[in-house]
Every structure is written in C-alpha cells, then in structure tokens.
Amino acid sequence: MNILRKPIDLNSLVSSYRNLSSETFEEILTFFDFTMKNNEIDQISAFIDNLDVDDKFFGYFYVGYKIPQIDKEFDLLRFGENYILNVEIKSILKREDARNQLIKNKYYLSSLGKPLKLFTYIAEDNSFYHLLEDETFEKVDFTMFENLLEEQTVAHHSNLDDLFDPSDYLVSPFNNTERFNEGAYFLTKQQQQYKDEILKNMSQFTILEGLPGTGKTLLLYDLAKEFFKTNNIVVVHSGSLNLGHLELIQKYNWDIIPAKHTGAIERRNPQIIFVDETQRMYPSQLNFIIEYVQKNNINAFFSIDPRQILSVDERAFNNLGKLQSLQNQKSFPLSKKIRTNKELGAFIKGLFNLKYMKYCKSTENISLHYFKDINQARGFAEGMEDEGWQVIDYTPQRFDGEIIRKMQLNRGLNAHGALGQEFDKVLVLVGSTFYYNEKDSIAVRKVTHYDPERMFYQSVTRARKQIMLLVVNNEEFMTKLISALNHKNNKKQLS
C-alpha cells in the first residue's frame, strides 16, 4: 500500500465502482489508501450529477482524508492556491450536527492559512448547504459550487500529511488558558467518545489513563469545565500550581488546590472532585479523597500515568492499582499520542532504548550539542531561551543532591514545575550520571530522592515540535546516541 495520500478524479472513482470488478475496485482503493462503503460512493455519484461543469474540474479531490493522530476525517477536500473546498456528504439532514461538523472542519483547516469554502450535501433530498463566514448554515444552489470549482487554482501536494501538525490542535489548559476557557478547541475522536460515554453513564470513580501527550489532562479539564457550569467542583493537582493554574483560579474562578492541601476539600464541600497527575499523589492523600467520595456519595475523576513519576518513593505508590481495585470504577485508556508528532515520539522511544532508534526516520526536529564544561552549556542555554526554547531543568533536592546540582542549568522551569504543561521547543541537559546499560536502555549511576531518569523523561515528553539535548561531560553517552542515530540510514545533518 502506498503511504502517500493521493488525489482522485471523482468521475474516475464512480466509473471504476460502476464498471470494474469488485476485486479490481478494491485494488484501486488500496492504491489510493482509503476505504469506502458502497452507499458512500453512491452519494458522491448523486452529488456530482448536480454539477454542470467540464469533466476536467472533477479531478484533484481527496476522499476520506484523516489528519494523522487526530483522526479528524473529511469527506471531500480540494486544495487550491486561492482557497480550499470541502464537502461533507450526509444521508439525511440533521441541521445542527451538520453545521457543527463544518465549524470543526473550519477549525482544523484554518491552520493552513487559506480561505475556506465549506459545504454539506444531503443525499436524501438532493440539497446543498454552505457555512458562511459568521458560521450561519445556509441552503444554497449548486451553481455556487460550480463557480468555485472553475475558479480554483489547484495546489499540488506530494504528501498531505505534511500540511498538518497534530500538536497544533492539542490545547493545553495551562499554556493556552484563554483558548481553553473560551472552548476554542475540539477533542479528538477518542476523547469525544470517552466524554460522551462518561456523561451518559458516569461511574463514581472515573480513571483517565494514558502516556504523555495522549490528552488525558485536557480531557480531565474539559470534563471539569463541563461540570463547573452546574456543580461545585474542586480540582486537585499533584504538585505545585503553575501559572496556568493561577490564571484559571484568579481570572476564571476555578477552585484548584495542590495535593498537599487535600484536607481542605472537606470545607469546600464539592459535588465532584478532579485529580490530575494522580500517580504522584501520596497514598494517604489518595485514600483521603477516596474515603471522602465514598462517605459523601459523590463522584471523582483521576488522570494518571504510572510512568510519569519524579521521585524514588513514587515508584512504590501503585495509585493506579488502588483506583482499579475500587468498586464502581471505570477506566478509559487514552492510546493515541497527539502532543508529540510521530517523528519526535519515535526519537524519544529510541532515546530511552537505542534498539528502537531504527524507527526514528527523521531528525529534522532534533538538536544535539556536546559540552565538556557545564558553564559553557549554561551560557548556550541562556542564548537558546532568547530564541524561544523552553529550558526544563532538574529539580534540586536538599539532601544528597550533588549529582543533580552538577547538571543543573539554573534557569527555566524545573521538572516538577513543567508537570502537565507543553511547549513547542524543549531544551534538556544530559549529565554524566546517565548511561546506556547492557540492554541499551537509558540508566543512571546513582538514584537519590528525585530520580534523574524520570525527570529526564518528564522533561522531553513536554515537547510538541522540537527537542534539543545538551550532553555535558558524557562522551560515552554522546557516542552511543550519535551512533544509533546514524546507524539507521538517516542522512540528515543534526543541527
């Protein structure tokens, strides 16, 4: 199967379906890398029968295209230098649903920076609708679309996936607080399915489980925002509150407390409790919330990633196991990474085990720099901050912290302060305590209270688009990492 998304001529699609054997037609669908049901092709056929234009204008349509990782699908797309055409095909008219779908399409396509012409075709009564600039949904004549087809200057793209960056669509409640509060975002298909299921049949304990970048925090806060309209809620964050938390509290009147103030829940008398970063919560704090929920017969939501721990003590908490052992609980595993693009995700996986570096096909958004002297690295990091890079440093510890102190850049956020946040460009230092063990997995020579390996993992998984590593006084680590990157036939130069 060819992995490139290819445009197709709609006349050719319908003619192939009508006149070729089913086996040959399936081969054509495979070649163009999409699947269609017979009734969908029948509806496309009915749609184009309304269009009185030359046959040459039925080419260059993308059918059933999905944005990578987001799974946002478009029925018909035609890209132009002057504007983009989009038509959604529906069996029957559900007016508000159809309008909302075009509004979502507008949101996702607007990132391309071209004017948008958005339509819905209704097969049942052969009607045609247009989304106006003010998002009014209006019935129109097919001649409007005919004129747009004839006047469009077709734009050619070798790979449609390159146009879309999935991370652009994952709004952070903390780094995009205003957009989040105004609802200027949409959930992924999986997030929306989970939300619908949760609201339809809510358990007393709801668990949102997922790796970094899967959108569990956004879903948790989206649910909290939903209930905030009609219920008294409290959000518990397992760590220090960041600037986004403070803005939600001060500007939008959210009730958010750090986990160390869990006892304050009693006097707040909430109807629903939301807990973020549950894996880092002390068992006594978690038990307090569980008992409070059961005693008062209310509901609680927990977002959790057992891998996102920062201290040695947290490894033994097993908070996920505790939650899953409760009666009247339901778990929703978020599986698709959104924040990190696939190439960055492949690099992170290879970074933590060199055996997987072969799956990293591009280092375009990866930067590596080596320094013998920590002071040189600190000066370099200062300059990179001026260039828009977010430095994420190691959290200091009061006792037995010499190892961590030697690899601190003394700027930016620390690993604890970056919890739950996301940044386009992330810079992290790799100190001499790191090495690759006999299994080619990343390891540290000495683990103290705060685990450097877990802090490193926490830091690099905050990146949405680019990662820069500063390797300091660790020739062995740099050699093995560079060798693994070069061994996979990657010819692109590392910046």
Side-chain angles (χ1 to χ4, degrees), residues 196-240:
D196 293 342
E197 186 177 344
I198 289 167
L199 295 179
K200 184 178 180 180
N201 185 22
M202 193 161 67
S203 302
Q204 185 169 35
F205 297 96
T206 299
I207 307 165
L208 307 176
E209 180 188 356
L211 294 172
T214 53
K216 58 187 179 298
T217 293
L218 174 60
L219 180 55
L220 181 84
Y221 274 78
D222 178 78
L223 286 163
K225 183 156 66 78
E226 186 78 24
F227 286 106
F228 181 54
K229 301 172 186 175
T230 55
N231 293 269
N232 180 27
I233 72 166
V234 62
V235 180
V236 181
H237 178 72
S238 299
S240 301

Short mmCIF file of all heavy atoms in Angstrom, two decimals, residues 196-240:
data_model
loop_
_atom_site.label_atom_id
_atom_site.label_comp_id
_atom_site.label_asym_id
_atom_site.label_seq_id
_atom_site.Cartn_x
_atom_site.Cartn_y
_atom_site.Cartn_z
N ASP A 196 -18.50 11.35 25.86
CA ASP A 196 -19.92 11.01 25.67
C ASP A 196 -20.31 9.83 26.55
O ASP A 196 -21.39 9.83 27.17
CB ASP A 196 -20.20 10.69 24.20
CG ASP A 196 -20.05 11.92 23.30
OD1 ASP A 196 -20.06 13.04 23.83
OD2 ASP A 196 -19.91 11.73 22.07
N GLU A 197 -19.46 8.82 26.60
CA GLU A 197 -19.74 7.63 27.41
C GLU A 197 -19.77 7.97 28.89
O GLU A 197 -20.63 7.48 29.64
CB GLU A 197 -18.69 6.55 27.12
CG GLU A 197 -18.98 5.22 27.80
CD GLU A 197 -17.98 4.14 27.44
OE1 GLU A 197 -17.24 4.32 26.44
OE2 GLU A 197 -17.92 3.13 28.16
N ILE A 198 -18.83 8.80 29.33
CA ILE A 198 -18.76 9.19 30.74
C ILE A 198 -20.01 9.95 31.16
O ILE A 198 -20.61 9.69 32.21
CB ILE A 198 -17.50 10.02 31.01
CG1 ILE A 198 -16.25 9.14 30.92
CG2 ILE A 198 -17.56 10.71 32.37
CD1 ILE A 198 -14.94 9.92 30.85
N LEU A 199 -20.42 10.92 30.33
CA LEU A 199 -21.57 11.74 30.67
C LEU A 199 -22.87 10.95 30.62
O LEU A 199 -23.82 11.26 31.35
CB LEU A 199 -21.66 12.94 29.73
CG LEU A 199 -20.50 13.96 29.81
CD1 LEU A 199 -20.70 15.07 28.81
CD2 LEU A 199 -20.36 14.51 31.21
N LYS A 200 -22.90 9.94 29.78
CA LYS A 200 -24.12 9.13 29.64
C LYS A 200 -24.29 8.17 30.80
O LYS A 200 -25.41 7.93 31.28
CB LYS A 200 -24.07 8.35 28.32
CG LYS A 200 -25.33 7.55 28.02
CD LYS A 200 -25.21 6.86 26.67
CE LYS A 200 -26.47 6.06 26.35
NZ LYS A 200 -26.36 5.37 25.04
N ASN A 201 -23.19 7.61 31.28
CA ASN A 201 -23.27 6.61 32.35
C ASN A 201 -22.06 6.77 33.26
O ASN A 201 -21.08 6.06 33.15
CB ASN A 201 -23.33 5.20 31.74
CG ASN A 201 -23.54 4.13 32.78
OD1 ASN A 201 -24.04 4.40 33.88
ND2 ASN A 201 -23.14 2.92 32.46
N MET A 202 -22.15 7.72 34.18
CA MET A 202 -20.99 8.10 34.99
C MET A 202 -20.80 7.17 36.17
O MET A 202 -21.74 6.91 36.94
CB MET A 202 -21.12 9.55 35.47
CG MET A 202 -19.83 10.12 36.03
SD MET A 202 -19.83 11.91 36.10
CE MET A 202 -21.08 12.22 37.33
N SER A 203 -19.58 6.67 36.33
CA SER A 203 -19.22 5.86 37.49
C SER A 203 -18.82 6.78 38.64
O SER A 203 -18.52 7.96 38.44
CB SER A 203 -18.07 4.92 37.14
OG SER A 203 -18.39 4.08 36.06
N GLN A 204 -18.79 6.21 39.84
CA GLN A 204 -18.38 7.03 40.98
C GLN A 204 -16.91 7.43 40.86
O GLN A 204 -16.54 8.55 41.16
CB GLN A 204 -18.62 6.28 42.29
CG GLN A 204 -18.34 7.14 43.52
CD GLN A 204 -18.83 6.50 44.81
OE1 GLN A 204 -18.77 5.28 44.96
NE2 GLN A 204 -19.30 7.31 45.75
N PHE A 205 -16.08 6.49 40.34
CA PHE A 205 -14.66 6.76 40.14
C PHE A 205 -14.34 6.56 38.65
O PHE A 205 -14.52 5.47 38.12
CB PHE A 205 -13.80 5.82 40.99
CG PHE A 205 -14.00 5.99 42.47
CD1 PHE A 205 -14.88 5.16 43.16
CD2 PHE A 205 -13.34 6.97 43.17
CE1 PHE A 205 -15.08 5.30 44.53
CE2 PHE A 205 -13.52 7.14 44.54
CZ PHE A 205 -14.40 6.30 45.22
N THR A 206 -13.87 7.61 38.02
CA THR A 206 -13.52 7.55 36.60
C THR A 206 -12.02 7.77 36.46
O THR A 206 -11.48 8.75 36.97
CB THR A 206 -14.28 8.63 35.79
OG1 THR A 206 -15.69 8.39 35.92
CG2 THR A 206 -13.89 8.57 34.33
N ILE A 207 -11.35 6.84 35.76
CA ILE A 207 -9.90 6.88 35.61
C ILE A 207 -9.55 7.18 34.15
O ILE A 207 -9.97 6.45 33.24
CB ILE A 207 -9.27 5.53 36.02
CG1 ILE A 207 -9.74 5.13 37.42
CG2 ILE A 207 -7.75 5.61 35.95
CD1 ILE A 207 -9.46 3.68 37.76
N LEU A 208 -8.80 8.24 33.91
CA LEU A 208 -8.30 8.58 32.58
C LEU A 208 -6.81 8.26 32.56
O LEU A 208 -6.01 8.96 33.16
CB LEU A 208 -8.53 10.07 32.28
CG LEU A 208 -9.97 10.58 32.46
CD1 LEU A 208 -10.03 12.07 32.22
CD2 LEU A 208 -10.92 9.85 31.52
N GLU A 209 -6.46 7.18 31.88
CA GLU A 209 -5.09 6.69 31.91
C GLU A 209 -4.44 6.87 30.54
O GLU A 209 -5.05 6.59 29.52
CB GLU A 209 -5.08 5.20 32.29
CG GLU A 209 -3.68 4.60 32.35
CD GLU A 209 -3.71 3.09 32.54
OE1 GLU A 209 -4.82 2.53 32.70
OE2 GLU A 209 -2.63 2.48 32.52
N GLY A 210 -3.19 7.33 30.52
CA GLY A 210 -2.52 7.48 29.24
C GLY A 210 -1.09 7.96 29.39
O GLY A 210 -0.72 8.55 30.39
N LEU A 211 -0.30 7.71 28.35
CA LEU A 211 1.08 8.17 28.31
C LEU A 211 1.13 9.67 28.06
O LEU A 211 0.11 10.29 27.74
CB LEU A 211 1.83 7.41 27.21
CG LEU A 211 2.01 5.91 27.42
CD1 LEU A 211 2.60 5.27 26.16
CD2 LEU A 211 2.90 5.63 28.62
N PRO A 212 2.31 10.29 28.17
CA PRO A 212 2.43 11.72 27.89
C PRO A 212 1.95 12.04 26.47
O PRO A 212 2.24 11.31 25.53
CB PRO A 212 3.92 11.99 28.04
CG PRO A 212 4.42 10.91 28.93
CD PRO A 212 3.60 9.70 28.62
N GLY A 213 1.20 13.13 26.35
CA GLY A 213 0.80 13.59 25.02
C GLY A 213 -0.47 12.96 24.50
O GLY A 213 -0.86 13.24 23.36
N THR A 214 -1.13 12.11 25.28
CA THR A 214 -2.36 11.48 24.80
C THR A 214 -3.60 12.32 25.07
O THR A 214 -4.69 11.96 24.64
CB THR A 214 -2.55 10.08 25.44
OG1 THR A 214 -2.45 10.19 26.86
CG2 THR A 214 -1.48 9.12 24.94
N GLY A 215 -3.46 13.40 25.80
CA GLY A 215 -4.57 14.32 26.02
C GLY A 215 -5.41 14.02 27.24
O GLY A 215 -6.55 14.50 27.34
N LYS A 216 -4.87 13.28 28.20
CA LYS A 216 -5.67 12.93 29.39
C LYS A 216 -5.94 14.15 30.25
O LYS A 216 -7.03 14.30 30.82
CB LYS A 216 -4.99 11.83 30.20
CG LYS A 216 -3.59 12.13 30.68
CD LYS A 216 -2.95 10.93 31.32
CE LYS A 216 -1.53 11.26 31.79
NZ LYS A 216 -0.65 11.63 30.65
N THR A 217 -4.95 15.06 30.38
CA THR A 217 -5.18 16.27 31.19
C THR A 217 -6.21 17.17 30.53
O THR A 217 -7.09 17.72 31.21
CB THR A 217 -3.85 17.03 31.40
OG1 THR A 217 -2.98 16.24 32.21
CG2 THR A 217 -4.09 18.36 32.09
N LEU A 218 -6.15 17.31 29.21
CA LEU A 218 -7.15 18.13 28.51
C LEU A 218 -8.54 17.54 28.71
O LEU A 218 -9.50 18.28 28.98
CB LEU A 218 -6.81 18.23 27.02
CG LEU A 218 -7.87 18.95 26.17
CD1 LEU A 218 -8.06 20.39 26.65
CD2 LEU A 218 -7.49 18.92 24.70
N LEU A 219 -8.68 16.23 28.59
CA LEU A 219 -9.98 15.61 28.78
C LEU A 219 -10.47 15.80 30.21
O LEU A 219 -11.65 16.08 30.44
CB LEU A 219 -9.91 14.12 28.43
CG LEU A 219 -11.23 13.33 28.58
CD1 LEU A 219 -12.36 13.97 27.77
CD2 LEU A 219 -11.03 11.88 28.15
N LEU A 220 -9.57 15.65 31.18
CA LEU A 220 -9.95 15.85 32.58
C LEU A 220 -10.46 17.28 32.80
O LEU A 220 -11.53 17.49 33.41
CB LEU A 220 -8.74 15.59 33.50
CG LEU A 220 -9.02 15.75 34.99
CD1 LEU A 220 -9.62 14.48 35.56
CD2 LEU A 220 -7.75 16.12 35.76
N TYR A 221 -9.72 18.26 32.29
CA TYR A 221 -10.12 19.65 32.50
C TYR A 221 -11.33 20.02 31.64
O TYR A 221 -12.14 20.88 32.03
CB TYR A 221 -8.94 20.59 32.21
CG TYR A 221 -8.05 20.78 33.43
CD1 TYR A 221 -7.14 19.79 33.80
CD2 TYR A 221 -8.14 21.92 34.22
CE1 TYR A 221 -6.34 19.95 34.92
CE2 TYR A 221 -7.34 22.09 35.34
CZ TYR A 221 -6.44 21.09 35.69
OH TYR A 221 -5.67 21.25 36.81
N ASP A 222 -11.48 19.39 30.49
CA ASP A 222 -12.68 19.62 29.69
C ASP A 222 -13.92 19.13 30.43
O ASP A 222 -14.96 19.80 30.44
CB ASP A 222 -12.55 18.91 28.34
CG ASP A 222 -13.79 19.07 27.48
OD1 ASP A 222 -13.95 20.14 26.87
OD2 ASP A 222 -14.60 18.11 27.42
N LEU A 223 -13.81 17.95 31.05
CA LEU A 223 -14.92 17.44 31.85
C LEU A 223 -15.18 18.34 33.05
O LEU A 223 -16.33 18.62 33.41
CB LEU A 223 -14.60 16.01 32.31
CG LEU A 223 -14.70 14.93 31.23
CD1 LEU A 223 -13.98 13.66 31.67
CD2 LEU A 223 -16.17 14.62 30.91
N ALA A 224 -14.10 18.80 33.68
CA ALA A 224 -14.26 19.71 34.81
C ALA A 224 -14.97 20.99 34.38
O ALA A 224 -15.85 21.50 35.09
CB ALA A 224 -12.89 20.03 35.42
N LYS A 225 -14.61 21.51 33.22
CA LYS A 225 -15.25 22.72 32.71
C LYS A 225 -16.73 22.48 32.43
O LYS A 225 -17.57 23.36 32.65
CB LYS A 225 -14.53 23.19 31.44
CG LYS A 225 -15.07 24.49 30.86
CD LYS A 225 -14.03 25.20 30.02
CE LYS A 225 -13.67 24.42 28.77
NZ LYS A 225 -14.69 24.58 27.71
N GLU A 226 -17.03 21.27 31.96
CA GLU A 226 -18.42 20.90 31.68
C GLU A 226 -19.25 20.91 32.97
O GLU A 226 -20.36 21.45 33.02
CB GLU A 226 -18.46 19.52 31.03
CG GLU A 226 -19.83 19.07 30.56
CD GLU A 226 -20.25 19.70 29.25
OE1 GLU A 226 -19.37 20.11 28.46
OE2 GLU A 226 -21.47 19.79 29.00
N PHE A 227 -18.71 20.31 34.03
CA PHE A 227 -19.44 20.22 35.29
C PHE A 227 -19.38 21.52 36.09
O PHE A 227 -20.25 21.79 36.93
CB PHE A 227 -18.89 19.07 36.14
CG PHE A 227 -19.29 17.71 35.64
CD1 PHE A 227 -18.38 16.89 34.99
CD2 PHE A 227 -20.59 17.25 35.82
CE1 PHE A 227 -18.75 15.65 34.53
CE2 PHE A 227 -20.96 16.00 35.36
CZ PHE A 227 -20.05 15.19 34.72
N PHE A 228 -18.37 22.34 35.81
CA PHE A 228 -18.19 23.61 36.51
C PHE A 228 -19.40 24.53 36.31
O PHE A 228 -19.71 25.38 37.15
CB PHE A 228 -16.91 24.27 36.00
CG PHE A 228 -16.56 25.59 36.65
CD1 PHE A 228 -16.48 25.69 38.03
CD2 PHE A 228 -16.33 26.71 35.88
CE1 PHE A 228 -16.15 26.91 38.63
CE2 PHE A 228 -16.00 27.92 36.48
CZ PHE A 228 -15.92 28.02 37.86
N LYS A 229 -20.11 24.33 35.19
CA LYS A 229 -21.26 25.18 34.87
C LYS A 229 -22.40 24.99 35.86
O LYS A 229 -23.14 25.93 36.15
CB LYS A 229 -21.76 24.86 33.45
CG LYS A 229 -20.74 25.05 32.35
CD LYS A 229 -21.28 24.51 31.04
CE LYS A 229 -20.23 24.54 29.94
NZ LYS A 229 -20.71 23.89 28.67
N THR A 230 -22.54 23.77 36.39
CA THR A 230 -23.73 23.46 37.19
C THR A 230 -23.41 22.83 38.55
O THR A 230 -24.32 22.60 39.34
CB THR A 230 -24.65 22.50 36.43
OG1 THR A 230 -23.89 21.34 36.04
CG2 THR A 230 -25.21 23.17 35.17
N ASN A 231 -22.14 22.53 38.81
CA ASN A 231 -21.79 21.83 40.04
C ASN A 231 -20.67 22.55 40.78
O ASN A 231 -19.88 23.28 40.19
CB ASN A 231 -21.34 20.40 39.74
CG ASN A 231 -22.45 19.53 39.20
OD1 ASN A 231 -23.17 18.87 39.94
ND2 ASN A 231 -22.60 19.52 37.87
N ASN A 232 -20.61 22.28 42.08
CA ASN A 232 -19.49 22.74 42.88
C ASN A 232 -18.36 21.72 42.75
O ASN A 232 -18.49 20.58 43.20
CB ASN A 232 -19.91 22.88 44.34
CG ASN A 232 -18.78 23.37 45.23
OD1 ASN A 232 -17.88 24.07 44.77
ND2 ASN A 232 -18.83 23.01 46.50
N ILE A 233 -17.27 22.11 42.12
CA ILE A 233 -16.17 21.18 41.87
C ILE A 233 -14.89 21.70 42.50
O ILE A 233 -14.74 22.90 42.77
CB ILE A 233 -15.94 20.93 40.36
CG1 ILE A 233 -15.30 22.18 39.71
CG2 ILE A 233 -17.22 20.55 39.64
CD1 ILE A 233 -14.74 21.91 38.32
N VAL A 234 -13.96 20.78 42.71
CA VAL A 234 -12.62 21.16 43.14
C VAL A 234 -11.63 20.32 42.33
O VAL A 234 -11.88 19.13 42.07
CB VAL A 234 -12.41 20.96 44.65
CG1 VAL A 234 -12.55 19.50 45.05
CG2 VAL A 234 -11.06 21.50 45.08
N VAL A 235 -10.56 20.94 41.89
CA VAL A 235 -9.50 20.25 41.15
C VAL A 235 -8.28 20.15 42.05
O VAL A 235 -7.85 21.15 42.63
CB VAL A 235 -9.14 21.00 39.85
CG1 VAL A 235 -8.03 20.26 39.10
CG2 VAL A 235 -10.37 21.15 38.96
N VAL A 236 -7.72 18.95 42.15
CA VAL A 236 -6.51 18.72 42.95
C VAL A 236 -5.36 18.41 42.00
O VAL A 236 -5.46 17.51 41.16
CB VAL A 236 -6.71 17.54 43.92
CG1 VAL A 236 -5.44 17.34 44.76
CG2 VAL A 236 -7.92 17.77 44.81
N HIS A 237 -4.29 19.18 42.11
CA HIS A 237 -3.11 18.97 41.27
C HIS A 237 -1.99 18.40 42.13
O HIS A 237 -1.63 18.98 43.15
CB HIS A 237 -2.66 20.28 40.63
CG HIS A 237 -1.42 20.13 39.80
ND1 HIS A 237 -1.41 19.49 38.57
CD2 HIS A 237 -0.14 20.54 40.02
CE1 HIS A 237 -0.18 19.51 38.08
NE2 HIS A 237 0.61 20.13 38.93
N SER A 238 -1.44 17.27 41.71
CA SER A 238 -0.39 16.61 42.50
C SER A 238 0.97 17.21 42.20
O SER A 238 1.80 16.64 41.50
CB SER A 238 -0.39 15.11 42.20
OG SER A 238 -1.63 14.55 42.56
N GLY A 239 1.18 18.39 42.73
CA GLY A 239 2.41 19.13 42.53
C GLY A 239 2.16 20.59 42.82
O GLY A 239 1.08 20.98 43.28
N SER A 240 3.16 21.43 42.53
CA SER A 240 2.99 22.86 42.72
C SER A 240 2.13 23.43 41.59
O SER A 240 2.21 22.98 40.45
CB SER A 240 4.35 23.55 42.74
OG SER A 240 5.16 23.03 43.78
#
